[in-house]
């Protein structure tokens, strides 16, 4: 988790930082072990430059997946065969169905015979112990542990390949309560394993009606969930590793039978390319729309996209119907992204949603209040600005209005006449005659270019 337990995605880098533009998923793209590659092009001064190339959709570091191919490259039969063999050899040792069968055998074992190999991250049956003799393993795996695989499995914390940060119980419980209060009965959990397992663990309760389907790139979860509960999925290229059968599982889940409303909740890695993620989410939304009965033609699939607040403009570019909530989402195993004063700073992670903001009730006891003018819940420090006519703070602190910038800015910023905008007091002035590297226009840096990585 990242949010999500997905690779930190986006082949060549965070958006635009090396003058690269994503041209998107294209039909007939070559494949690496993570599914179809994405098409990129190098840019200079806002113009395409050089040859287009394919790179891995899921790994930013070539050490983790070194797939690279020029778009116009003629690949020999021998190399194609070698690539197919390489892709096959890098798939998991057991299929999802085999893992489901192994799990059935595992739960029948007496407690002293239930072992989990920490090195291989695998549940072990007694016949397999010998192969793992020199590995470290956990013994006496309880039913409670099997119901909480995100705590049994080691989080993948290599930030360049996997950014697997998991919701705290507080954030998880808040999301689940909110889902129930809003009347949703099915949750498409895209890269949110901890929320999925909280829903699964309550499924046996008589009055609990919510169901969840987890879509995640971390195949280790297939050891704990059936094919109706988990699909191996890459959210950067909308790729179901289980093929049409897995795609059909998702489609069936999205079909709103007996009025059981569906919501998609996704928590992607924060290093991922926003346009690649948006492209996949739009395809999941389209899948939902295809299953819909008449009368939903103009609606979007209800969604919570959990992402840092500084990506607001990028998300709204792809989903203009979304708005950002003030609720701070925090993570168990992240030094910074924790609630209140336990982390070094407050979490910048927020919920972006296409639901009506006034319906998202935030907990008053955690410092949120309802703004009658904005018609939404805001952080108690987020004061309404009469000039902007909005509660403008993004980070929970009270922001101040700058008359020259004609907007509210962070309290630590002041207006710089050189840059003609507000910035930190000890910043280096960036005013220069040279144009922006991306679009060629003066007055801003490459990192803040409005056309950054736009396709």
């Amino acid at each position: 988790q990242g949010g999500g337990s997905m690779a930190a995605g986006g082949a060549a880098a965070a958006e635009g930082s090396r003058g690269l533009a994503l041209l998107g998923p294209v039909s007939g793209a070559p494949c690496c072990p993570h599914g179809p590659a994405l098409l990129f092009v190098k840019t200079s001064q806002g113009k395409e430059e050089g040859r287009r190339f394919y790179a891995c959709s899921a790994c930013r570091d070539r050490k983790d997946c070194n797939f690279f191919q020029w778009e116009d490259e003629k690949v020999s039969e021998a190399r194609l065969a070698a690539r197919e063999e390489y892709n096959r050899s890098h798939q998991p040792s057991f299929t999802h169905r085999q893992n489901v069968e192994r799990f059935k055998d595992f739960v029948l074992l007496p407690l002293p015979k239930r072992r989990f190999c920490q090195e291989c991250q695998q549940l072990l049956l007694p016949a397999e112990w010998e192969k793992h003799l020199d590995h470290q393993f956990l013994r006496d795996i309880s039913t409670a542990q099997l119901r909480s695989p995100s705590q049994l499995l080691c989080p993948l914390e290599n930030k360049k390949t996997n950014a697997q940060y998991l919701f705290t119980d507080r954030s998880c419980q808040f999301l689940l309560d909110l889902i129930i209060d809003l009347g949703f009965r099915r949750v498409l959990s895209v890269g949110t394993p901890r929320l999925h397992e909280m829903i699964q663990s309550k499924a046996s309760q008589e009055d609990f009606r919510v169901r969840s389907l987890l879509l995640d790139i971390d195949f280790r979860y297939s050891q704990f969930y059936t094919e109706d509960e988990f699909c191996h999925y890459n959210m950067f290229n909308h790729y179901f590793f289980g093929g049409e059968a897995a795609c059909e599982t998702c489609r069936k889940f999205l079909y709103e039978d007996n009025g059981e409303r569906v919501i998609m909740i996704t928590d992607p890695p924060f290093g991922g390319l926003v346009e690649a993620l948006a492209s996949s989410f739009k395809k999941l939304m389209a899948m939902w729309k295809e299953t819909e009965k008449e009368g939903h033609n103009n609606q979007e699939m209800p969604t919570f996209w959990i992402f840092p607040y500084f990506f607001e403009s990028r998300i709204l570019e792809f989903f203009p119907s979304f708005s950002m909530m003030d609720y701070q989402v925090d993570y168990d195993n992240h030094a910074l992204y924790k609630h209140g004063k336990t982390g070094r700073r407050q979490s910048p992670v927020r919920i972006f949603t296409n639901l009506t903001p006034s319906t998202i009730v935030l907990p008053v006891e955690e410092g949120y209040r309802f703004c009658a003018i904005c018609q939404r819940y805001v952080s108690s420090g987020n004061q309404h600005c009469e000039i902007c006519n909005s509660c403008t703070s993004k980070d929970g602190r009270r922001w101040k209005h700058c008359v020259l910038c004609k907007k509210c800015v962070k309290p630590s910023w002041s207006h710089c006449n050189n840059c003609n905008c507000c910035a930190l007091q000890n910043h280096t002035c960036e005013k220069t005659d040279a144009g922006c590297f991306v679009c060629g226009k003066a007055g801003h840096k490459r990192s803040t270019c409005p056309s950054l990585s736009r396709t």
Side-chain angles (χ1 to χ4, degrees):
Q1 227 162 290
S5 59
M6 303 283 293
E15 297 171 74
S17 61
R18 297 188 204 161
L20 293 169
L22 171 68
L23 298 176
V26 293
S27 60
C31 290
C32 71
H34 305 96
L38 296 178
L39 185 62
F40 290 85
V41 66
K42 191 177 179 186
T43 59
S44 176
Q45 296 288 326
K47 299 183 185 76
E48 285 190 16
E49 184 188 80
R51 290 159 78 185
R52 300 173 176 208
F53 62 90
Y54 291 104
C56 175
S57 62
C59 300
R60 284 168 67 175
D61 197 324
R62 293 285 296 277
K63 288 179 197 148
D64 298 310
C65 181
N66 63 2
F67 183 86
F68 181 93
Q69 182 187 312
W70 296 112
E71 185 192 26
D72 56 4
E73 189 178 346
K74 294 280 183 281
V75 183
S76 68
E77 290 295 324
R79 197 166 143 219
L80 279 174
R83 182 185 288 166
E84 276 183 37
E85 181 50 43
Y86 177 84
N87 289 350
R88 252 197 309 274
S89 68
H90 280 71
Q91 293 312 310
S93 49
F94 294 107
T95 65
H96 192 168
R97 183 148 302 169
Q98 285 171 327
N99 272 340
V100 171
E101 293 304 317
R102 293 175 81 256
F103 185 80
K104 285 178 189 170
D105 294 337
F106 190 88
V107 293
L108 294 173
L109 295 170
L111 208 57
K113 291 199 170 182
R114 289 188 188 176
R115 292 186 183 182
F116 176 78
C117 178
Q118 288 179 293
E119 236 161 286
C120 303
Q121 293 286 286
Q122 188 180 311
L123 297 172
L124 297 180
L125 296 172
E128 298 160 351
W129 289 359
E130 207 173 322
K131 289 182 194 166
H132 300 260
L133 278 179
D134 54 346
H135 294 179
Q136 292 218 325
F137 48 81
L138 298 172
R139 299 167 184 264
D140 304 342
I141 303 300
S142 67
T143 304
Q145 284 174 295
L146 294 175
R147 282 189 185 150
S148 305
S150 71
Q151 293 175 21
L152 187 62
L153 299 167
C154 290
L156 304 169
E157 289 186 24
N158 170 357
K159 289 184 183 67
K160 284 197 174 169
T161 312
N162 295 280
Q164 198 174 42
Y165 299 117
L166 303 161
F167 293 145
T168 55
D169 283 343
R170 164 194 164 269
S171 288
C172 235
Q173 193 62 59
F174 166 74
L175 286 167
L176 183 52
D177 291 343
L178 185 57
I179 290 160
I180 293 167
D181 291 345
L182 290 167
F184 294 103
R185 291 296 171 262
R186 296 195 197 181
V187 182
L188 186 66
S189 303
V190 186
T192 58
R194 192 156 276 182
L195 177 64
H196 174 73
E197 73 185 35
M198 182 178 272
I199 293 170
Q200 292 294 108
S201 68
K202 293 174 188 281
S204 57
Q205 296 173 12
E206 261 184 59
D207 57 343
F208 191 77
R209 297 273 181 272
V210 183
R211 288 170 53 210
S212 171
L213 172 65
L214 176 64
L215 307 187
D216 206 292
I217 204 168
D218 189 348
F219 190 69
R220 298 177 303 171
Y221 285 105
S222 69
Q223 298 178 85
F224 305 90
Y225 300 122
T226 67
E227 288 153 303
D228 289 333
E229 297 165 339
F230 168 78
C231 292
H232 191 200
Y233 175 79
N234 182 346
M235 71 167 91
F236 291 103
N237 57 6
H238 185 60
Y239 181 66
F240 286 89
F241 291 83
E244 190 48 45
C247 200
E248 191 52 36
T249 297
C250 183
R251 202 175 280 117
K252 272 186 192 162
F253 183 84
L254 293 175
Y255 185 77
E256 295 187 358
D257 202 16
N258 301 324
E260 291 190 333
R261 295 172 63 215
V262 177
I263 184 168
M264 172 166 68
I265 301 190
T266 181
D267 182 34
F270 307 146
L273 289 167
V274 172
E275 59 260 63
L277 293 166
S279 169
S280 294
F281 300 156
K282 282 181 177 178
K283 284 171 184 168
L284 288 170
M285 287 173 162
M287 201 186 274
W288 170 82
K289 206 160 210 172
E290 284 164 19
T291 67
E292 278 304 283
K293 302 181 181 81
E294 290 171 31
H296 292 267
N297 296 339
N298 299 321
Q299 285 191 356
E300 258 181 354
M301 178 183 182
T303 301
F304 286 166
W305 179 344
I306 293 158
F307 225 49
Y309 69 79
F310 37 81
F311 282 101
E312 183 181 21
S313 62
R314 297 290 290 138
I315 290 175
L316 298 188
E317 190 181 317
F318 295 102
F319 294 105
S321 62
F322 280 32
S323 51
M324 187 178 83
M325 302 296 99
D326 271 20
Y327 184 79
Q328 293 185 15
V329 180
D330 52 340
Y331 297 85
D332 256 351
N333 54 332
H334 198 294
L336 298 177
Y337 296 175
K338 288 187 179 171
H339 180 61
K341 295 174 183 174
T342 52
R344 293 209 296 278
R345 62 178 181 212
Q346 294 192 330
S347 171
V349 187
R350 303 288 183 269
I351 299 168
F352 293 87
T353 183
N354 50 7
L355 297 176
T356 308
S358 60
T359 64
I360 314 291
V361 179
L362 303 186
V364 175
E365 65 276 12
E366 287 185 22
Y368 299 99
R369 62 177 181 84
F370 188 74
C371 175
I373 307 168
C374 293
Q375 282 293 296
R376 69 181 180 100
Y377 279 82
V378 295
S379 175
S380 53
N382 188 357
Q383 295 299 308
H384 193 88
C385 172
E386 290 181 10
I387 305 166
C388 296
N389 193 27
S390 173
C391 292
T392 50
S393 170
K394 307 290 184 194
D395 60 11
R397 296 178 295 171
R398 184 173 184 168
W399 285 22
K400 60 183 183 182
H401 191 86
C402 173
V403 179
L404 296 170
C405 289
K406 295 181 180 168
K407 64 177 183 181
C408 286
V409 295
K410 292 180 180 179
S412 52
W413 288 14
S414 54
H415 198 83
C416 170
N417 291 325
N418 268 349
C419 299
N420 196 28
C421 67
C422 286
L424 282 167
Q425 287 185 328
N426 58 353
H427 75 286
T428 307
C429 289
E430 292 286 348
K431 193 156 179 128
T432 171
D433 295 330
C436 161
F437 176 80
V438 179
C439 71
K441 293 176 186 170
H444 62 262
K445 299 181 285 181
R446 173 176 72 181
S447 60
T448 57
C449 178
S451 62
L452 192 64
S453 193
R454 213 169 266 167
T455 59

